[in-house]
Amino acid sequence: FAGKVRQWKSPVKKVCWCQPPFWYSPGPEAMKGSLNRLPVAALRRLLLVGLSLAELQDWGVLEDHSDSLSSDSSQSGVANAVAAPSPSLTPEPTAASFDFAPGARSRGLDGLSRAKSIVAEYLDDLTACDRSASVKSHEKLMTRKQSLVNMAAGSRECGWEYGGGLLDLPEHENRPQAKRGSCSLVGYGLATPGEEHCWTQAKVADMLKIPEDHPHRSLFKATHIQKRYLADLERDLKDPSTVTLTRLREKHLHWAQIMLSDAIAQACTDAGIDPAQLRHISVCSTSGYLLPGLTAYVAKDRKLGISPDIHRQDIVGMGCHAGLNSFKSAAAWATANPGKYAIACGVEVMSAQYVWGDVSRKSLNNVICNSLFGDGCFAAIVYSAPPGQDEPPKAYLDAPASWWSQVVDTKALDDMIYHVEESENKYRFDLSELAPYHVAQGHNAMLRAALYEGIPVHYIDHVVVHTGGRTVLNCSMPGLGLEGDPAKQVPHTVASL
């Protein structure tokens, strides 16, 4: 798709990017090449269900040589570049000609606003393609007007639609629903180091001694972060050269214990149980390594009074999605042990990972990391009702372990990784500019896999994403099948960032 000559000689008349169970996304060369001619909805159909060869030729993506012998291409050593033919255009389309707006469907600020905004995206795509493609493919999509209207009229939820409702996805009559009490989130708690350790971005930049006129200072002026909790940061940054790895390890353990104790106590109060009733605990952390792990220190906490025969699981090395893995671990244990309480925890003391020496302070990557992360902790109690229990406890939601899925992007291993900063003999976190694109690829792969398994992702009403910044959001939207400009389609999320 990146080549100047793009001739399709296979007898297959429908082109699909890849078929399950194989998942991969187009590379930048292909996206800057002929795939750039496709509007977003057509590109997504190519990736998911395929496009006809005739439609791809109409868009100028490929030339149809399907009736030629494949051996023809090997008869000459060098192929001459042949421009894709420009098909004749129908009269210029307008928004009115594509007016397929469905019946009023209540949507929140974070939802995808369908109808005219999607049409505007199509018209923008036509302009971007220099109008070298036929609008017949658009007209074909618009013939789905009645099915879209019926689908919208039957559902009043606030939410989004995978692919903008313009993909040929199977209709599902029955929405999957978790059985009440199957695996319930019955209580949660949150903790920070305390308000005396809460700093504005400007104050953090001052403690890092970044001059006001230095380009790195601008990273601390972004509006999407106002304050962060960073324990003992002022003390440690008075003379960073005196902060050893031993000091950072002690700091991580000290503040992790304090926050875990507070969050677990809050969660138990919220669930209406005593900490002694907990039978399983999982704790995830990426900001420090301990042996024994943090679960042992939680079991030792006299204030909580947890039984010493509690099941423990320490989870390390999971990064941003560690909290979900901790929750999934507790959910799986609770499901396997109905009637018993499990608690999932996650704690990060990112201030125990600050690297700020004479060498590291000059690194843009290090400055970015020091401008983003903070200290905090969560605890969530899950419970699975036994068969004989008539009334499951009141819960925030049910999340049975069988509903969980994940994808491992092994190509991203070197793009979000710890290395040793040899100038200070400490760990540092390297965050690549490619990270947002890995996130998008992961979303795309997971949703495609879900479709392959028959999970109706186009029935999802709400999506929660750990974006971290606007670039990740911009990449996540197409990965999730959301059309359009984030500022227009998910204004609440953009405002929050």
Side-chain angles (χ1 to χ4, degrees), residues 338-432:
K340 298 180 179 179
Y341 291 95
I343 188 166
C345 306
V347 60
E348 300 294 357
V349 187
M350 298 308 300
S351 59
Q353 286 292 320
Y354 264 53
V355 180
W356 199 247
D358 293 336
V359 175
S360 59
R361 72 177 62 204
K362 300 175 184 177
S363 166
L364 177 60
N365 175 85
N366 199 47
V367 177
I368 292 174
C369 290
N370 286 349
S371 72
L372 292 177
F373 304 114
D375 301 345
C377 178
F378 84 89
I381 297 177
V382 289
Y383 175 86
S384 181
Q389 186 169 347
D390 296 331
E391 187 65 24
K394 185 178 180 181
Y396 292 100
L397 56 87
D398 278 283
S402 59
W403 281 32
W404 292 73
S405 64
Q406 64 184 43
V407 62
V408 181
D409 184 0
T410 55
K411 293 181 180 178
L413 291 180
D414 293 328
D415 292 317
M416 290 172 278
I417 189 171
Y418 272 161
H419 283 122
V420 174
E421 177 55 57
E422 296 183 356
S423 65
E424 300 179 52
N425 195 27
K426 300 174 187 173
Y427 285 109
R428 73 168 192 269
F429 180 55
D430 288 346
L431 181 63
S432 168

XYZ file of all heavy atoms in Angstrom, residues 338-432:
738
model
N -16.701 -18.591 46.347
C -17.928 -17.833 46.651
C -18.129 -17.670 48.160
O -17.803 -18.565 48.954
C -19.032 -18.701 46.038
C -18.345 -19.546 45.011
C -16.980 -19.802 45.558
N -18.636 -16.504 48.513
C -18.922 -16.234 49.913
C -17.751 -15.679 50.702
O -17.890 -15.411 51.899
N -16.593 -15.507 50.055
C -15.414 -14.972 50.726
C -14.972 -13.680 50.054
O -15.113 -13.530 48.833
C -14.282 -15.994 50.720
C -14.620 -17.281 51.461
C -13.469 -18.271 51.426
C -13.831 -19.550 52.190
N -12.712 -20.540 52.150
N -14.414 -12.778 50.844
C -14.055 -11.458 50.342
C -12.595 -11.423 49.884
O -11.695 -11.938 50.561
C -14.264 -10.395 51.417
C -15.715 -10.140 51.742
C -16.324 -10.792 52.820
C -16.482 -9.264 50.978
C -17.660 -10.564 53.127
C -17.812 -9.028 51.278
C -18.400 -9.688 52.351
O -19.720 -9.466 52.656
N -12.376 -10.801 48.733
C -11.028 -10.562 48.210
C -10.855 -9.066 48.010
O -11.824 -8.350 47.732
C -10.810 -11.302 46.894
N -9.628 -8.605 48.156
C -9.365 -7.180 47.954
C -8.217 -7.000 46.974
O -7.201 -7.692 47.042
C -9.064 -6.462 49.289
C -8.996 -4.952 49.078
C -7.792 -6.999 49.949
C -9.033 -4.155 50.366
N -8.439 -6.123 46.015
C -7.421 -5.772 45.021
C -6.875 -4.396 45.358
O -7.651 -3.466 45.621
C -8.012 -5.779 43.616
N -5.571 -4.255 45.342
C -4.941 -2.974 45.670
C -3.890 -2.626 44.622
O -3.315 -3.506 43.974
C -4.263 -3.021 47.040
S -5.311 -3.561 48.400
N -3.655 -1.359 44.496
C -2.568 -0.860 43.666
C -1.986 0.373 44.324
O -2.726 1.245 44.795
N -0.661 0.456 44.397
C -0.031 1.598 45.042
C 1.220 1.978 44.267
O 1.995 1.117 43.859
C 0.314 1.289 46.520
C 1.272 0.119 46.635
C 0.870 2.519 47.223
N 1.371 3.257 44.026
C 2.570 3.759 43.350
C 3.132 4.943 44.136
O 2.387 5.855 44.516
C 2.255 4.200 41.916
C 1.693 3.104 41.012
C 2.681 1.983 40.729
O 3.847 2.065 41.189
O 2.299 1.010 40.059
N 4.423 4.890 44.369
C 5.141 6.012 44.986
C 6.130 6.489 43.922
O 7.322 6.200 43.965
C 5.863 5.579 46.281
C 6.441 6.814 46.988
C 4.916 4.831 47.203
N 5.612 7.213 42.944
C 6.446 7.639 41.825
C 7.502 8.645 42.254
O 8.528 8.796 41.582
C 5.583 8.224 40.714
C 4.575 7.240 40.113
S 5.302 5.680 39.568
C 6.469 6.216 38.342
N 7.268 9.310 43.391
C 8.297 10.228 43.894
C 9.534 9.462 44.353
O 10.603 10.066 44.539
C 7.740 11.052 45.053
O 7.305 10.213 46.110
N 9.428 8.136 44.515
C 10.582 7.307 44.846
C 11.312 6.844 43.592
O 12.216 6.017 43.672
C 10.140 6.092 45.666
N 10.902 7.387 42.441
C 11.561 7.060 41.171
C 12.179 8.295 40.522
O 12.624 8.226 39.384
C 10.557 6.423 40.203
C 10.182 4.995 40.541
C 11.338 4.040 40.354
O 12.109 4.147 39.409
N 11.500 3.097 41.277
N 12.177 9.417 41.246
C 12.723 10.643 40.666
C 14.235 10.530 40.486
O 14.955 10.225 41.435
C 12.381 11.861 41.535
C 11.151 12.596 41.050
C 9.965 11.916 40.852
C 11.183 13.958 40.764
C 8.835 12.558 40.400
C 10.051 14.619 40.316
C 8.877 13.911 40.127
O 7.763 14.555 39.660
N 14.672 10.766 39.270
C 16.095 10.786 38.939
C 16.406 12.192 38.456
O 15.835 12.654 37.462
C 16.425 9.736 37.852
C 17.909 9.771 37.530
C 16.004 8.346 38.304
N 17.313 12.877 39.149
C 17.515 14.294 38.815
C 18.953 14.707 39.130
O 19.224 15.557 39.967
C 16.525 15.175 39.583
C 16.339 16.537 38.991
C 16.708 17.731 39.530
C 15.752 16.842 37.731
N 16.384 18.765 38.693
C 15.796 18.250 37.564
C 15.202 16.080 36.706
C 15.304 18.889 36.441
C 14.716 16.717 35.573
C 14.764 18.100 35.460
N 19.880 14.090 38.424
C 21.282 14.420 38.607
C 21.781 15.357 37.525
O 21.012 15.836 36.679
N 23.073 15.624 37.522
C 23.651 16.549 36.555
C 23.480 16.061 35.119
O 23.371 16.867 34.197
C 25.144 16.748 36.857
C 25.370 17.459 38.175
O 24.437 18.174 38.609
O 26.452 17.283 38.769
N 23.447 14.743 34.913
C 23.279 14.180 33.571
C 21.806 14.006 33.234
O 21.340 14.432 32.169
C 24.017 12.834 33.455
C 23.754 12.186 32.101
C 25.515 13.027 33.666
N 21.050 13.376 34.133
C 19.660 13.024 33.828
C 18.757 14.244 33.678
O 17.764 14.198 32.945
C 19.104 12.100 34.914
O 19.169 12.719 36.183
N 19.070 15.356 34.334
C 18.209 16.530 34.235
C 18.241 17.169 32.854
O 17.376 17.982 32.521
C 18.601 17.563 35.296
C 19.916 18.284 35.057
C 20.163 19.333 36.120
N 20.267 18.733 37.434
C 20.032 19.390 38.567
N 19.679 20.658 38.530
N 20.164 18.782 39.738
N 19.213 16.788 32.052
C 19.303 17.317 30.688
C 18.489 16.491 29.691
O 18.332 16.890 28.544
C 20.769 17.345 30.240
C 21.657 18.223 31.114
C 23.106 18.124 30.695
C 24.026 18.925 31.620
N 25.453 18.770 31.241
N 17.995 15.347 30.122
C 17.243 14.452 29.243
C 15.785 14.885 29.152
O 15.096 14.989 30.173
C 17.318 13.010 29.769
O 16.363 12.192 29.151
N 15.293 15.110 27.942
C 13.897 15.500 27.746
C 12.962 14.396 28.242
O 11.936 14.676 28.864
C 13.628 15.794 26.277
C 12.178 16.159 25.919
C 11.725 17.400 26.665
C 12.028 16.353 24.408
N 13.320 13.137 27.985
C 12.489 12.031 28.452
C 12.350 12.067 29.971
O 11.257 11.870 30.518
C 13.103 10.699 28.023
C 12.352 9.513 28.584
O 11.364 9.053 28.024
N 12.810 8.990 29.713
N 13.420 12.347 30.662
C 13.386 12.380 32.112
C 12.538 13.541 32.621
O 11.804 13.412 33.602
C 14.809 12.489 32.665
C 14.901 12.086 34.118
O 14.366 11.053 34.504
N 15.566 12.909 34.916
N 12.627 14.679 31.943
C 11.811 15.835 32.328
C 10.330 15.522 32.125
O 9.486 15.847 32.974
C 12.220 17.076 31.511
C 11.320 18.255 31.869
C 13.676 17.437 31.769
N 10.000 14.882 31.007
C 8.603 14.525 30.735
C 8.061 13.611 31.823
O 6.966 13.825 32.350
C 8.479 13.857 29.347
C 8.771 14.880 28.239
C 7.096 13.253 29.157
C 8.812 14.276 26.847
N 8.819 12.572 32.170
C 8.367 11.640 33.207
C 8.184 12.356 34.544
O 7.219 12.105 35.273
C 9.361 10.490 33.350
S 9.381 9.357 31.939
N 9.093 13.267 34.871
C 8.983 14.002 36.130
C 7.825 14.990 36.131
O 7.446 15.501 37.189
C 10.288 14.740 36.423
C 11.398 13.803 36.878
O 11.154 12.644 37.172
N 12.618 14.313 36.910
N 7.271 15.263 34.957
C 6.148 16.201 34.876
C 4.790 15.498 34.899
O 3.753 16.166 34.943
C 6.251 17.034 33.593
O 5.944 16.251 32.450
N 4.779 14.165 34.873
C 3.513 13.451 34.690
C 3.013 12.715 35.926
O 1.853 12.838 36.292
C 3.646 12.427 33.548
C 3.817 12.976 32.133
C 4.007 11.815 31.157
C 2.621 13.812 31.739
N 3.866 11.933 36.570
C 3.379 10.920 37.492
C 3.273 11.421 38.927
O 3.887 12.413 39.300
C 4.288 9.687 37.438
C 4.431 9.126 36.048
C 5.651 9.155 35.386
C 3.333 8.599 35.404
C 5.778 8.648 34.098
C 3.446 8.079 34.123
C 4.676 8.110 33.466
N 2.483 10.708 39.736
C 2.280 11.086 41.125
C 2.136 9.870 42.017
O 2.238 8.725 41.566
N 1.885 10.104 43.311
C 1.754 9.044 44.307
C 0.280 8.832 44.643
O -0.479 9.793 44.795
C 2.504 9.420 45.587
C 3.992 9.657 45.357
O 4.490 9.254 44.289
O 4.646 10.259 46.234
N -0.115 7.580 44.804
C -1.498 7.290 45.166
C -1.730 5.806 45.339
O -0.855 4.976 45.057
N -2.945 5.471 45.814
C -3.271 4.081 46.128
C -4.763 3.857 45.980
O -5.572 4.754 46.242
C -2.824 3.763 47.561
S -3.212 2.094 48.122
N -5.145 2.641 45.560
C -6.555 2.260 45.540
C -6.712 0.889 46.199
O -5.772 0.090 46.253
C -7.110 2.218 44.107
C -6.838 0.912 43.388
C -7.726 -0.153 43.474
C -5.696 0.753 42.626
C -7.473 -1.357 42.817
C -5.435 -0.440 41.958
C -6.329 -1.506 42.065
N -7.900 0.624 46.683
C -8.255 -0.699 47.205
C -9.704 -0.970 46.807
O -10.565 -0.098 46.951
C -8.088 -0.758 48.718
N -9.972 -2.173 46.286
C -11.314 -2.532 45.836
C -11.654 -3.931 46.331
O -10.886 -4.874 46.128
C -11.397 -2.470 44.310
N -12.799 -4.073 46.973
C -13.237 -5.354 47.542
C -14.226 -6.015 46.593
O -15.203 -5.391 46.148
C -13.868 -5.149 48.927
C -12.824 -4.584 49.894
C -14.443 -6.460 49.462
C -13.372 -4.276 51.266
N -13.975 -7.280 46.269
C -14.860 -8.038 45.381
C -15.381 -9.262 46.125
O -14.718 -9.824 47.003
C -14.138 -8.445 44.080
C -13.895 -7.235 43.215
C -12.816 -9.142 44.376
N -16.577 -9.678 45.720
C -17.283 -10.756 46.425
C -18.165 -11.482 45.432
O -18.858 -10.860 44.612
C -18.118 -10.147 47.551
C -18.995 -11.129 48.301
C -18.494 -11.858 49.364
C -20.330 -11.303 47.942
C -19.307 -12.751 50.073
C -21.146 -12.192 48.637
C -20.635 -12.909 49.695
O -21.433 -13.783 50.390
N -18.140 -12.808 45.489
C -19.009 -13.637 44.654
C -20.008 -14.353 45.553
O -19.620 -15.069 46.488
C -18.176 -14.651 43.869
O -18.998 -15.447 43.039
N -21.271 -14.133 45.281
C -22.320 -14.705 46.131
C -22.423 -16.213 45.922
O -22.460 -16.683 44.788
C -23.654 -14.036 45.833
N -22.471 -16.999 47.000
C -22.643 -18.451 46.860
C -24.042 -18.782 46.354
O -24.962 -17.961 46.475
C -22.396 -18.966 48.278
C -22.730 -17.819 49.166
C -22.351 -16.588 48.404
N -24.234 -19.968 45.804
C -25.545 -20.329 45.235
C -26.694 -20.180 46.209
O -27.807 -19.830 45.821
C -25.335 -21.794 44.819
C -23.867 -21.934 44.607
C -23.226 -21.030 45.603
N -26.475 -20.440 47.489
C -27.568 -20.399 48.442
C -27.917 -19.020 48.960
O -28.887 -18.868 49.715
N -27.162 -18.006 48.560
C -27.411 -16.653 49.072
C -28.517 -15.999 48.264
O -28.383 -15.764 47.065
C -26.140 -15.809 49.012
C -26.291 -14.442 49.652
C -24.953 -13.738 49.823
O -23.897 -14.346 49.686
N -24.998 -12.452 50.139
N -29.631 -15.718 48.930
C -30.800 -15.187 48.216
C -30.582 -13.766 47.718
O -30.973 -13.425 46.603
C -32.031 -15.220 49.133
C -32.420 -16.645 49.505
O -32.153 -17.556 48.690
O -32.974 -16.838 50.599
N -29.947 -12.934 48.525
C -29.798 -11.521 48.185
C -28.322 -11.136 48.223
O -27.745 -10.948 49.287
C -30.582 -10.653 49.167
C -30.628 -9.179 48.795
C -31.382 -8.916 47.497
O -32.233 -9.736 47.118
O -31.104 -7.868 46.868
N -27.689 -11.009 47.045
C -26.279 -10.580 47.016
C -26.135 -9.188 47.614
O -27.081 -8.391 47.605
C -25.939 -10.578 45.515
C -26.973 -11.445 44.879
C -28.215 -11.266 45.699
N -24.969 -8.857 48.154
C -24.779 -7.519 48.731
C -24.869 -6.436 47.665
O -24.627 -6.685 46.482
C -23.378 -7.599 49.335
C -22.686 -8.680 48.575
C -23.752 -9.682 48.240
N -25.203 -5.249 48.114
C -25.263 -4.114 47.200
C -23.893 -3.875 46.589
O -22.877 -3.908 47.280
C -25.735 -2.872 47.957
C -25.946 -1.655 47.073
C -26.451 -0.477 47.895
C -26.658 0.754 47.015
N -27.133 1.914 47.798
N -23.854 -3.647 45.274
C -22.568 -3.558 44.581
C -22.568 -2.403 43.591
O -23.621 -1.967 43.110
C -22.264 -4.868 43.847
N -21.357 -1.926 43.303
C -21.192 -0.898 42.275
C -21.335 -1.497 40.882
O -21.907 -0.886 39.981
C -19.825 -0.229 42.411
C -19.674 0.607 43.659
C -19.000 0.111 44.770
C -20.200 1.892 43.727
C -18.851 0.875 45.918
C -20.068 2.666 44.868
C -19.389 2.151 45.963
O -19.248 2.907 47.101
N -20.791 -2.697 40.705
C -20.877 -3.380 39.413
C -20.484 -4.834 39.605
O -19.945 -5.215 40.636
C -19.961 -2.721 38.367
C -18.470 -2.586 38.687
C -17.690 -3.845 38.293
C -17.877 -1.389 37.964
N -20.802 -5.649 38.601
C -20.372 -7.043 38.570
C -19.393 -7.228 37.422
O -19.665 -6.812 36.293
C -21.571 -7.976 38.396
C -22.267 -8.246 39.716
O -21.728 -9.054 40.490
O -23.327 -7.643 39.973
N -18.261 -7.840 37.711
C -17.211 -8.030 36.710
C -16.631 -9.430 36.833
O -15.535 -9.608 37.361
C -16.114 -6.981 36.867
N -17.361 -10.464 36.396
C -16.841 -11.829 36.499
C -15.537 -11.989 35.726
O -15.342 -11.378 34.675
C -17.962 -12.683 35.900
C -18.788 -11.736 35.087
C -18.687 -10.411 35.750
N -14.652 -12.807 36.264
C -13.319 -12.949 35.669
C -13.387 -13.445 34.237
O -12.508 -13.141 33.424
C -12.488 -13.904 36.528
N -14.419 -14.197 33.888
C -14.527 -14.730 32.525
C -14.750 -13.637 31.492
O -14.607 -13.871 30.289
C -15.678 -15.745 32.452
O -16.913 -15.136 32.818
N -15.106 -12.446 31.937
C -15.343 -11.344 31.011
C -14.076 -10.564 30.682
O -14.085 -9.701 29.814
C -16.375 -10.375 31.610
C -17.788 -10.847 31.466
C -18.231 -12.142 31.455
C -18.949 -10.031 31.329
N -19.584 -12.181 31.334
C -20.064 -10.894 31.248
C -19.159 -8.664 31.286
C -21.369 -10.432 31.112
C -20.457 -8.202 31.159
C -21.546 -9.071 31.065
N -12.995 -10.864 31.390
C -11.788 -10.078 31.222
C -10.977 -10.591 30.039
O -10.883 -11.784 29.794
C -10.932 -10.142 32.478
C -11.548 -9.448 33.648
C -12.612 -9.881 34.387
C -11.162 -8.205 34.209
N -12.907 -8.993 35.377
C -12.025 -7.945 35.292
C -10.160 -7.285 33.908
C -11.918 -6.802 36.058
C -10.055 -6.149 34.688
C -10.931 -5.914 35.748
N -10.381 -9.674 29.314
C -9.469 -10.053 28.236
C -8.355 -9.014 28.175
O -8.479 -7.920 28.711
C -10.192 -10.129 26.892
O -10.673 -8.854 26.510
N -7.276 -9.376 27.513
C -6.174 -8.436 27.373
C -5.338 -8.838 26.175
O -5.484 -9.932 25.634
C -5.311 -8.391 28.629
C -4.593 -9.695 28.967
C -3.843 -9.604 30.280
O -4.348 -9.071 31.263
N -2.635 -10.125 30.297
N -4.491 -7.932 25.745
C -3.596 -8.202 24.627
C -2.203 -7.720 25.020
O -2.057 -6.696 25.692
C -4.079 -7.512 23.324
C -4.098 -6.000 23.479
C -3.206 -7.916 22.149
N -1.201 -8.476 24.645
C 0.186 -8.134 24.953
C 0.851 -7.643 23.669
O 0.971 -8.394 22.705
C 0.957 -9.336 25.523
C 2.394 -8.930 25.855
C 0.265 -9.893 26.755
N 1.251 -6.386 23.658
C 1.922 -5.810 22.496
C 3.430 -5.936 22.720
O 4.060 -5.070 23.312
C 1.528 -4.345 22.328
C 2.130 -3.727 21.070
O 2.849 -4.450 20.346
O 1.885 -2.540 20.810
N 3.996 -7.018 22.241
C 5.421 -7.270 22.482
C 6.318 -6.305 21.725
O 7.492 -6.142 22.078
C 5.774 -8.710 22.088
O 5.375 -8.947 20.724
C 5.053 -9.706 22.990
N 5.772 -5.640 20.718
C 6.574 -4.660 19.989
C 6.825 -3.400 20.812
O 7.675 -2.588 20.463
C 5.897 -4.294 18.672
C 5.828 -5.435 17.666
C 5.175 -4.984 16.376
C 5.110 -6.117 15.359
N 4.440 -5.700 14.108
N 6.068 -3.247 21.896
C 6.193 -2.040 22.721
C 7.135 -2.235 23.896
O 7.251 -1.343 24.738
C 4.811 -1.624 23.228
N 7.799 -3.378 23.977
C 8.621 -3.664 25.151
C 9.688 -2.606 25.384
O 9.997 -2.262 26.525
C 9.281 -5.043 25.001
C 8.339 -6.252 25.073
C 9.128 -7.542 24.918
C 7.570 -6.267 26.385
N 10.276 -2.086 24.335
C 11.360 -1.125 24.487
C 10.874 0.321 24.515
O 11.683 1.238 24.594
C 12.372 -1.287 23.344
C 13.101 -2.618 23.413
O 13.314 -3.101 24.539
O 13.438 -3.183 22.351
N 9.569 0.519 24.450
C 9.038 1.877 24.379
C 8.476 2.382 25.699
O 8.154 3.552 25.816
C 7.956 1.950 23.293
C 8.543 1.763 21.907
O 9.606 2.357 21.636
O 7.963 1.021 21.100
N 8.337 1.513 26.685
C 7.942 1.898 28.041
C 8.685 0.957 28.968
O 8.213 -0.143 29.263
C 6.420 1.787 28.222
C 5.628 2.833 27.461
S 3.832 2.564 27.491
C 3.692 1.342 26.168
N 9.850 1.372 29.452
C 10.758 0.413 30.072
C 11.669 1.096 31.090
O 11.988 2.285 30.967
C 11.603 -0.276 28.970
C 12.416 -1.449 29.515
C 12.513 0.738 28.277
C 13.094 -2.273 28.430
N 12.063 0.329 32.124
C 13.054 0.798 33.086
C 14.469 0.508 32.562
O 14.743 -0.574 32.040
C 12.898 0.072 34.425
C 11.922 0.713 35.383
C 11.379 -0.018 36.436
C 11.557 2.049 35.262
C 10.491 0.559 37.329
C 10.668 2.623 36.139
C 10.136 1.881 37.177
O 9.266 2.460 38.056
N 15.339 1.494 32.732
C 16.763 1.305 32.485
C 17.531 1.812 33.702
O 16.972 2.514 34.551
C 17.223 2.083 31.231
C 16.835 1.431 29.956
N 16.050 2.057 28.994
C 17.104 0.196 29.455
C 15.866 1.245 27.974
N 16.485 0.109 28.228
N 18.779 1.467 33.779
C 19.618 1.954 34.867
C 20.306 3.237 34.422
O 20.954 3.279 33.366
C 20.673 0.904 35.274
C 21.631 1.492 36.308
C 19.994 -0.343 35.822
N 20.122 4.300 35.212
C 20.837 5.552 34.975
C 22.198 5.415 35.645
O 22.335 5.595 36.859
C 20.057 6.736 35.542
C 20.756 8.081 35.395
C 21.142 8.380 33.967
O 20.257 8.394 33.088
O 22.361 8.588 33.730
N 23.199 5.069 34.840
C 24.503 4.738 35.406
C 25.172 5.927 36.078
O 25.996 5.745 36.980
C 25.395 4.167 34.306
C 24.877 2.847 33.738
C 25.809 2.250 32.706
O 26.824 2.901 32.379
O 25.520 1.146 32.214
N 24.828 7.142 35.657
C 25.454 8.315 36.276
C 25.020 8.494 37.729
O 25.683 9.197 38.498
C 25.119 9.578 35.480
O 23.720 9.853 35.535
N 23.882 7.853 38.114
C 23.388 7.992 39.483
C 23.151 6.652 40.167
O 22.741 6.620 41.332
C 22.082 8.798 39.475
C 22.218 10.197 38.919
C 20.896 10.944 38.914
O 20.246 10.985 39.972
O 20.522 11.470 37.857
N 23.350 5.556 39.418
C 23.122 4.223 39.964
C 21.688 4.081 40.480
O 21.435 3.551 41.570
C 24.112 3.903 41.091
C 24.152 2.421 41.433
O 23.868 1.576 40.565
N 24.466 2.096 42.673
N 20.744 4.537 39.661
C 19.318 4.439 39.989
C 18.566 3.985 38.742
O 19.069 4.052 37.618
C 18.762 5.798 40.434
C 19.429 6.381 41.663
C 18.896 7.785 41.902
C 19.651 8.494 43.015
N 19.253 9.909 43.147
N 17.326 3.542 38.970
C 16.467 3.222 37.847
C 15.860 4.503 37.270
O 15.538 5.435 38.007
C 15.343 2.280 38.270
C 15.782 0.855 38.488
C 15.842 0.316 39.770
C 16.138 0.047 37.411
C 16.245 -0.985 39.985
C 16.537 -1.259 37.615
C 16.596 -1.770 38.897
O 16.999 -3.059 39.095
N 15.686 4.502 35.967
C 14.945 5.582 35.321
C 13.916 4.952 34.386
O 14.089 3.832 33.896
C 15.875 6.515 34.531
C 16.417 5.912 33.254
C 17.086 6.940 32.342
N 17.345 6.385 31.026
C 18.458 5.767 30.673
N 19.452 5.641 31.559
N 18.600 5.260 29.461
N 12.847 5.673 34.128
C 11.785 5.187 33.253
C 11.896 5.886 31.901
O 11.903 7.119 31.827
C 10.405 5.467 33.874
C 9.254 4.986 33.028
C 9.179 3.665 32.624
C 8.246 5.856 32.661
C 8.115 3.219 31.847
C 7.176 5.425 31.891
C 7.109 4.100 31.490
N 12.008 5.110 30.835
C 12.073 5.660 29.483
C 10.724 5.487 28.806
O 10.200 4.371 28.705
C 13.163 4.957 28.660
C 14.562 5.359 29.108
O 14.675 6.353 29.848
O 15.533 4.686 28.726
N 10.161 6.585 28.360
C 8.841 6.609 27.732
C 8.996 7.100 26.302
O 9.367 8.243 26.061
C 7.904 7.535 28.516
C 6.471 7.669 28.030
C 5.748 6.338 28.122
C 5.740 8.730 28.850
N 8.721 6.238 25.340
C 8.905 6.567 23.931
C 7.736 7.370 23.388
O 6.598 7.252 23.853
C 9.067 5.269 23.119
O 8.966 5.528 21.736
